[in-house]
Amino acid sequence: MFDLEIYEIINILGLFIGIAFGVIAQKNQFCFSGSIKDYILTKSTKRAASVVMAMIVAIVATTIMANHFEIDLTQTNYFKSNINYFSIIFGGLLFGSGMMIADGCSSRSLVKFAQGDSNALVTLIFIGIFAYATVKGLLAGFLNPFTNNETLIQWSSAIENTQMNIYIVIGILTVILLLLVKKVKRILTLVDGMLIGLLVSIAWYVTGVMGEESLERTIELSSITFVYPIAKTLELFTYYQVNEIAFAITLVCGVLIGTFAMSFINRKYSFGCTANQNMNKVKYNMIGGSLMGVGGVLAIGCTVGQGLTGFSTLAFASLLAISSIFISGYITAVILGKKDKLPMCFIFEWNDDKTNKPIDFQI
């Protein structure tokens, strides 16, 4: 009945993966930047535990899948030749600061916008503009002497960007997870992290296995990432002739659709309370989005693009990227918190912790 090319099937699957991501992220408000904010403001570790669980599942599932289907993950952008660790670290620092200033990273901004936060649209637009400017626009020429600096690349080559030992990485992440959950039985409640981790490996399968069969178009080996795809989606929306629908773009659209649909079922989350706080939200969204657009490109990904997708390949560069994002995000959050500029509408706490306020209590 439907005679579809392989690349069209891949685009459709990208849409459904995005829908699933949006539904899961909206249901439990899965968020890397939010997990930092939770800990600083309320000492809650619930969302942080979900993020770490997603990392563990993404790494294990991707490794199993790649070994079974013989996918060479070292052919991805996370292992590109002439890598510049200094550019990645600097980009991570920019992104981490930007996501806290804008009150949400790139994936979080997609979710917030689709569930009714109009300020998040400002963040998304500025992420797209500055990401594209960093790749092909005015900022590309300005940053090129830094990103392609031969001396920095040579210094970076002193440490090979190899695949890290999976047992060591999973061991460390498991210890961190146990410290966050405090009670082992809580691990079973981290369903959102488990599912999002699986989605990362499924996306690798779609582009890495099914994509190999595409003769009409070359399918880039990739998984879930959002910064540059947001820029490409914005480009497609504003000037269709210079772009074509691809897996990354349908993924972004899917997140918006999934989140929007889920928001009608899961109505309890509303971010209107931030409008009543003494904050210039639009200014913060513009600044944060700009920093994330530039930083996400330099770091070769965002909290999801590097923290989950890149990390699932066990690339050393991804460890540097997500570490710099976390450090910068944490420091920025502490500074904003001291100035009462760290908005929070809901408390995310463990269901079995009777000593805390009710879950999702507005503050």
Side-chain angles (χ1 to χ4, degrees):
M1 180 177 179
F2 296 101
D3 187 16
L4 298 175
E5 303 289 356
I6 292 178
Y7 76 87
E8 293 174 321
I9 296 175
I10 290 174
N11 289 343
I12 293 173
L13 290 175
L15 181 69
F16 281 107
I17 291 173
I19 290 174
F21 186 100
V23 168
I24 297 166
Q26 201 283 334
K27 177 65 172 63
N28 291 334
Q29 302 294 289
F30 181 89
C31 181
F32 188 99
S33 60
S35 67
I36 296 175
K37 183 170 62 174
D38 289 351
Y39 182 77
I40 290 175
L41 294 180
T42 68
K43 301 303 178 184
S44 171
T45 59
K46 189 175 188 298
R47 289 203 286 179
S50 288
V51 171
V52 175
M53 175 57 77
M55 290 179 176
I56 293 174
V57 173
I59 292 172
V60 173
T62 297
T63 300
I64 294 174
M65 184 274 304
N67 289 338
H68 181 75
F69 293 102
E70 298 182 348
I71 299 176
D72 187 3
L73 294 175
T74 62
Q75 298 303 308
T76 63
N77 287 333
Y78 305 107
F79 293 91
K80 68 178 184 178
S81 60
N82 297 327
I83 197 161
N84 185 342
Y85 291 143
F86 297 90
S87 174
I88 288 176
I89 293 173
F90 179 62
L93 294 176
L94 289 179
F95 189 93
S97 181
M99 73 180 186
M100 301 312 303
I101 292 173
D103 191 31
C105 61
S106 48
S107 60
R108 179 62 175 161
S109 295
L110 286 170
V111 171
K112 288 176 67 176
F113 169 60
Q115 67 182 9
D117 186 347
S118 58
N119 285 327
L121 177 59
V122 177
T123 302
L124 293 172
I125 291 174
F126 273 78
I127 287 175
I129 291 174
F130 277 80
Y132 201 83
T134 304
V135 175
K136 297 182 178 180
L138 178 65
L139 294 179
F142 178 75
L143 291 170
N144 184 65
F146 171 63
T147 56
N148 293 312
N149 186 284
E150 293 184 2
T151 301
L152 296 181
I153 292 175
Q154 183 178 5
W155 288 351
S156 298
S157 66
I159 302 177
E160 185 180 358
N161 183 29
T162 186
Q163 283 187 302
M164 297 177 290
N165 186 292
I166 185 173
Y167 300 106
I168 295 176
V169 173
I170 293 299
I172 293 174
L173 289 176
T174 300
V175 171
I176 295 174
L177 180 63
L178 292 175
L179 292 174
L180 291 173
V181 297
K182 297 181 175 67
K183 300 176 183 179
V184 177
K185 65 179 181 179
R186 288 175 172 174
I187 293 178
L188 299 177
T189 68
L190 305 176
V191 179
D192 56 334
M194 297 177 191
L195 293 176
I196 286 180
L198 286 175
L199 286 178
V200 171
S201 65
I202 292 172
W204 281 123
Y205 173 83
V206 170
T207 62
V209 179
M210 299 181 63
E212 281 290 308
E213 303 298 323
S214 177
L215 300 177
E216 303 81 12
R217 290 185 188 177
T218 299
I219 305 299
E220 180 185 2
L221 178 58
S222 62
S223 183
I224 303 175
T225 188
F226 292 108
V227 172
Y228 193 53
I230 288 175
K232 298 298 288 183
T233 303
L234 183 61
E235 180 190 32
L236 180 68
F237 179 75
T238 54
Y239 192 29
Y240 182 82
Q241 286 83 350
V242 301
N243 203 352
E244 60 184 20
I245 297 177
F247 176 84
I249 294 176
T250 59
L251 182 73
V252 170
C253 295
V255 173
L256 292 173
I257 295 170
T259 301
F260 181 72
M262 189 63 190
S263 65
F264 285 95
I265 301 172
N266 187 36
R267 294 175 175 270
K268 60 184 176 181
Y269 295 115
S270 171
F271 290 80
C273 70
T274 58
N276 299 322
Q277 299 184 19
N278 185 24
M279 295 179 62
N280 189 336
K281 282 296 296 177
V282 174
K283 179 181 73 175
Y284 279 31
N285 290 126
M286 292 169 63
I287 295 173
S290 302
L291 291 174
M292 284 190 283
V294 177
V297 170
L298 296 181
I300 322 179
C302 53
T303 49
V304 173
Q306 277 285 28
L308 295 182
T309 294
F311 210 25
S312 73
T313 69
L314 296 171
F316 175 71
S318 296
L319 175 62
L320 291 181
I322 195 60
S323 297
S324 59
I325 289 174
F326 172 77
I327 292 171
S328 176
Y330 188 87
I331 294 174
T332 303
V334 170
I335 295 173
L336 291 173
K338 290 180 178 180
K339 296 181 179 181
D340 293 325
K341 298 295 184 180
L342 198 62
M344 189 170 193
C345 297
F346 303 96
I347 292 177
F348 300 89
E349 197 48 84
W350 303 100
N351 292 335
D352 60 355
D353 194 341
K354 305 301 181 182
T355 63
N356 289 284
K357 296 178 182 178
I359 298 175
D360 307 325
F361 182 86
Q362 193 174 74
I363 59 174

